[in-house]
């Protein structure tokens, strides 16, 4: 199997703050989640300018991390405000996207562990992930995100049944 991430070379992975130079590679990773799945609730892939703006706006308050191996971006994770009201400032929502050929090889936990560590240092007490969950798996939406988040110690805190259609 040809994969972007080789388990034997996990030490080669560098988790760092994303930069403007990473935006095209990160958008390339994100695009198939928009066009080929129901993981993202966006209908159209954002422009490079829009996506770059998201990164810079996020970095003003929260971490946006890139996972890099041999100069190639394999995935990214970031936090954002869970809710805009002031009392929610002690919690954040996490998002993670991996290149299709880098999934299932241990990169997700590396990104999330670093993201959670940074958020704790910022005083964030709760870390949420809003995940699309199908009634039954199909080629557009699986239970992979649910399984990943369960392994990472998350548990279901609430559901919004049938709230998005794509």
């Amino acid at each position: 199997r040809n994969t972007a991430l080789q388990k034997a070379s996990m030490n080669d992975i560098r988790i760092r703050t994303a930069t403007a130079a990473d935006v095209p590679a990160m958008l390339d990773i994100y695009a198939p989640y928009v066009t080929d799945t129901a993981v993202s609730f966006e209908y159209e892939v954002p422009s490079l300018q829009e996506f770059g703006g998201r990164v810079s706006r996020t970095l003003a308050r929260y971490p946006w991390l890139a996972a890099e191996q041999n100069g190639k971006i394999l995935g990214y994770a970031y936090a954002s405000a869970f809710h805009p009201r002031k009392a929610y400032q002690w919690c954040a929502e996490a998002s993670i996207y991996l290149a299709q050929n880098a999934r299932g090889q241990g990169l997700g936990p590396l990104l999330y562990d670093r993201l959670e560590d940074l958020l704790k240092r910022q005083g964030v007490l709760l870390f949420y992930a809003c995940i699309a969950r199908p009634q039954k798996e199909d080629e557009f939406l699986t239970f992979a995100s649910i399984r990943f988040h369960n392994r990472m110690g998350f548990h279901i805190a609430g559901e919004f049944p049938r709230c998005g259609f794509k």
Side-chain angles (χ1 to χ4, degrees), residues 30-39 42 45 100 138-141 166:
Y30 181 60
Y33 288 96
V34 175
T35 59
D36 303 337
T37 76
V39 169
E42 291 195 80
V45 176
Q100 299 300 308
D138 60 28
E139 67 271 23
F140 304 108
L141 190 59
K166 186 170 176 184

Side-chain angles (χ1 to χ4, degrees), residues 41 43 130-133 135 158-166:
F41 278 17
Y43 287 129
C130 295
I131 304 166
R133 182 176 67 90
Q135 290 181 335
E159 293 186 19
F160 299 96
R162 302 173 53 111
C163 69
F165 296 93
K166 186 170 176 184

Side-chain angles (χ1 to χ4, degrees), residues 136-149:
K136 66 177 191 161
E137 288 186 301
D138 60 28
E139 67 271 23
F140 304 108
L141 190 59
T142 69
F143 293 116
S145 286
I146 300 291
R147 287 189 298 268
F148 168 75
H149 285 86

Side-chain angles (χ1 to χ4, degrees), residues 22-107:
D22 300 323
V23 169
M26 291 187 303
L27 183 56
D28 285 345
I29 289 168
Y30 181 60
Y33 288 96
V34 175
T35 59
D36 303 337
T37 76
V39 169
S40 168
F41 278 17
E42 291 195 80
Y43 287 129
E44 294 181 19
V45 176
S47 70
L48 197 58
Q49 181 178 356
E50 165 59 26
F51 196 78
R54 292 178 189 183
V55 174
S56 64
R57 285 188 300 275
T58 298
L59 284 170
R61 168 75 171 97
Y62 296 100
W64 188 306
L65 302 174
E68 175 184 57
Q69 184 180 46
N70 300 323
K72 180 177 173 67
I73 303 298
L74 300 177
Y76 62 92
Y78 63 93
S80 56
F82 177 70
H83 194 282
R85 291 190 180 145
K86 189 90 169 145
Y88 288 100
Q89 69 184 311
W90 311 111
C91 55
E93 180 181 346
S95 297
I96 185 169
Y97 293 93
L98 303 178
Q100 299 300 308
N101 59 353
R103 295 175 2 190
Q105 300 174 55
L107 184 59

